[in-house]
Structures are given as C-alpha cells and as structure tokens.
Amino acid sequence: MSRSCVSTVILVCALLSSLPLSHACPKECSCNSNTKVVDCRGRGLYDIPRRLHPDTQELYLQDNRIRGLGSVAFREIPLVRILDLSNNSITSISPTALQGLRTLQRLSLAYNGIRDLDKRLLGPIRSLSHLDLSHNSLWGLPGVMGDSLKNLSYLGLANNRLTRLDRSLLDTMTHLDSITLRNNPWRCDCQLIGLKLWLETYLFKGGVVDEVLCAQPEEKKDKDLQKIPYQLFHACMTTSYHYLFANIHHLESEKLLRGGAGGMAECETKQKHRPVNLRHAIATVIITGVVCGIVCLMMLAAAVYGCAYAAIMAKYQRELKKNEELAAAQGADHATADEKEPLENAIA
C-alpha cells in the first residue's frame, strides 16, 4: 500500500509540473495563461514569488514590501519582457539580479530606496527601451552602463539626488525620446556644461525633457539650466577646464556626425547627421571674443606702460639737458668774473 501511495504522489507531481501557466501560478498572484501575465500587485510580498512559469512575459510586483533583489532573482522567467517593481522598499540589488533576462524591454524600479546601481546590473540586456528609476536616492549612474541603455526611448531620473550627469553616458542613448530630470539637487557649475550642451542638441532633435532647476550655487538657485546664458559660466575659462573639454567634445561630435561618416565601413550603419545649433556657434564666438578681449587688454596695458615709460624717460632727458645747460652757463659767468678782476686791479 505504501509503495502505491508513493507512486501516486510521484505521478501527481509529474502531472502538476506539466500543467499550463494557469495551474503553475503562485498562490499570492493571479495569472493569465493566454497573455502570459502574472499579477502580484499589492499582496504584501517580502520576496519574489517562486514557481513562476518559464513562459511568463509580464510580471507586476509593484506595491509590495520587497527589500532587495538577490542573485539571479528571475532565473525562472528568462523570457519576461515587462518587469515592474515600483513602490516597494528595495534598497539593495545584486549585480547579477537581472542575469539571463536578455529580452527585457521595460523595467520600473521607481519609488524605492535605491542609492546606487552596479555597473554590471544591466550588462547582459540589450533590448531595454523603458527604464524608470525615478523617486529613489540615486547619486549618479555608472558611465559604463551606456551599452545597455543605447536602445532606450524613455529614461526616468526625476526625484533623486543627482548633482551631475555624465554626458558620455547620455550620448550613447541615440534613440531616447523622453527623459525626466526634475527635482534633483543639480549643481550648476562648470561640470554641468556637458549636460547643458547635450540638452540643447537633444531638444533641437525633438526630444522631450521636463526641467533641470539648479539647486546650487546660490546665485543660480531655482534657475532653469537651459535658460542660463553662457556668459554666467565665464569663470570656467579661468578656473576649470570642464567647460572647454565639454565644448570641444560637443564640437567634435558635431564634426564627426557631419563629415566623418564617409570613412565608415559599408557594413556599418551610418549615424544620422546632427544639425548645427546656432546657439552653440554663438557660444563659441562669445568664448573666442572673451579670450581675444583679454589678450587685447593685456596688449593695451603693455602699450600704455611703454608710452608712460617713454614719456618719463623723455622728461628726464630734458631735465638733465636743461640742468647741464644751466651748469655750463653758470661756469661761463664765473670765468668772466675772474677775467675782469685782474683788469680792475691793474687799473687801480
């Protein structure tokens, strides 16, 4: 009898493992076997549900109490395309948490407590088009994540702790249509010139952005970075090289996009030509004018100094000559007096 029971249990387990998605759904979630959607929203979960069907394509885990994502947390669902983890309590994410999700297209980690992202987190993903990281505590994004973000059409970074953003990372997102940057403590100094230049090109191409309001320094507080004239960054010319490097990088990118595509191999996809931005040209002219003005002022100062020195020397020479003539005249008068005195004595 016991052997028969064991055989029955094994048979039941085998049958359960072969059942479709609707029969392999975690008890905390609701599943749709036709659309392959698993909905676990608002179930008070502290961890990722187990026994998810490998054909799952959409997984919704928002409004739970998940605190962290461990290594290979989603290994059971390698075909998932949409993963929503918003409004949880996530503070830590393993660098390999998303390993194996090569078809992931939409990822939301909004409304959590994430402070930083490991550069390896999105490494294997190349199909990501929507990434929402808003309402976290991010200080920055690793620049090496660019390869994983090159196909993004939307990036949400609003309501974080960003003070600057690497332009080289933004330049890799050639398909970006919309980006949110509001409510970050942006430090509008020389190191943010790259972002300002990128925003102007991005908007010129039709991109959508909300706003970048400066939090510091004090004289630029609450001002929109896009509306701050380049003249207010003149200190960068003498106190920092970031302005110059950012401008050079921008101009080189423009040059490569306009004329550098001819040298590319025929098998490579040529980049679209980026239109010249008139404001960038004006900014370059202003910079050149400032430098030329400084040089001209230095030359003028040297000329004034030379003229003043020449005038002083001329006056000195005149005074010296006048003194010499006066001394000579006085000597002649003494000589005449000496000649007259013997003659007067003789007459007497």
Side-chain angles (χ1 to χ4, degrees):
M1 180 65 67
S2 60
R3 292 182 179 178
S4 177
C5 290
V6 171
S7 300
T8 303
V9 170
I10 293 175
L11 180 60
V12 170
C13 291
L15 289 173
L16 287 175
S17 64
S18 62
L19 288 175
L21 179 61
S22 59
H23 295 279
C25 185
K27 62 180 181 179
E28 307 92 345
C29 310
S30 61
C31 308
N32 188 317
S33 59
N34 295 323
T35 59
K36 299 178 181 179
V37 174
V38 178
D39 189 348
C40 308
R41 290 177 289 185
R43 305 299 175 91
L45 300 177
Y46 288 92
D47 203 354
I48 307 301
R50 297 183 179 181
R51 298 183 65 250
L52 292 167
H53 198 283
D55 289 340
T56 301
Q57 294 190 7
E58 299 181 19
L59 177 58
Y60 298 97
L61 289 165
Q62 59 265 46
D63 305 320
N64 282 290
R65 301 175 183 177
I66 300 172
R67 297 180 179 179
L69 301 179
S71 177
V72 201
F74 304 96
R75 58 183 176 274
E76 295 180 344
I77 50 172
L79 301 179
V80 68
R81 296 183 295 105
I82 299 176
L83 181 58
D84 195 332
L85 290 156
S86 60
N87 198 25
N88 277 278
S89 303
I90 300 173
T91 56
S92 63
I93 302 178
S94 169
T96 58
L98 304 178
Q99 186 173 336
L101 305 185
R102 298 183 180 276
T103 60
L104 187 63
Q105 298 176 8
R106 298 173 65 92
L107 174 62
S108 178
L109 291 166
Y111 291 93
N112 281 287
I114 304 170
R115 294 185 178 182
D116 54 30
L117 295 176
D118 191 277
K119 61 184 180 181
R120 297 168 290 175
L121 180 63
L122 302 176
I125 304 173
R126 295 291 184 271
S127 55
L128 197 62
S129 61
H130 181 105
L131 178 60
D132 192 353
L133 298 170
S134 58
H135 295 271
N136 277 284
S137 300
L138 290 172
W139 293 92
L141 291 179
V144 293
M145 292 180 69
D147 291 340
S148 303
L149 306 179
K150 61 182 180 181
N151 290 318
L152 278 187
S153 60
Y154 172 84
L155 176 61
L157 293 173
N159 296 88
N160 277 283
R161 298 182 180 179
L162 300 173
T163 58
R164 59 179 56 92
L165 202 56
D166 190 356
R167 181 180 175 178
S168 62
L169 175 65
L170 296 169
D171 282 336
T172 62
M173 306 178 199
T174 55
H175 297 89
L176 195 65
D177 295 326
S178 178
I179 184 172
T180 61
L181 299 170
R182 66 182 181 277
N183 294 336
N184 278 286
W186 299 107
R187 182 175 181 82
C188 297
D189 56 11
C190 300
Q191 296 188 25
L192 211 63
I193 292 293
L195 176 60
K196 179 176 174 63
L197 293 172
W198 180 86
L199 282 173
E200 291 192 353
T201 303
Y202 174 70
L203 291 171
F204 188 83
K205 293 165 55 179
V208 177
V209 64
D210 44 10
E211 60 183 3
V212 179
L213 295 182
C214 302
Q216 49 184 321
E218 190 64 28
E219 61 271 17
K220 297 187 182 77
K221 188 174 182 180
D222 296 329
K223 292 183 178 179
D224 192 335
L225 177 65
Q226 302 172 56
K227 298 179 181 178
I228 297 178
Y230 282 96
Q231 291 87 336
L232 295 183
F233 291 96
H234 67 279
C236 300
M237 295 296 296
T238 56
T239 62
S240 175
Y241 291 104
H242 287 91
Y243 186 102
L244 182 60
F245 288 160
N247 201 36
I248 290 175
H249 180 76
H250 172 75
L251 293 177
E252 286 296 327
S253 299
E254 297 283 350
K255 181 178 179 181
L256 290 174
L257 287 174
R258 290 197 301 270
M264 299 173 65
E266 294 182 358
C267 60
E268 296 179 353
T269 303
K270 296 182 179 180
Q271 299 181 0
K272 296 187 295 183
H273 292 281
R274 183 179 295 176
V276 179
N277 193 320
L278 180 60
R279 294 182 65 183
H280 296 161
I282 294 174
T284 305
V285 171
I286 291 174
I287 296 170
T288 306
V290 170
V291 175
C292 292
I294 294 174
V295 173
C296 291
L297 288 175
M298 294 176 64
M299 294 177 64
L300 179 62
V304 171
Y305 176 82
C307 291
Y309 180 80
I312 293 172
M313 290 301 298
K315 183 177 180 180
Y316 173 78
Q317 292 295 333
R318 288 196 300 269
E319 293 291 337
L320 183 62
K321 185 175 181 181
K322 182 177 180 180
N323 291 336
E324 289 178 353
E325 292 175 353
L326 183 60
Q330 291 177 351
D333 291 339
H334 285 300
T336 304
D338 292 340
E339 290 177 357
K340 289 182 177 179
E341 184 176 355
L343 181 59
E344 292 175 355
N345 293 334
I347 296 174

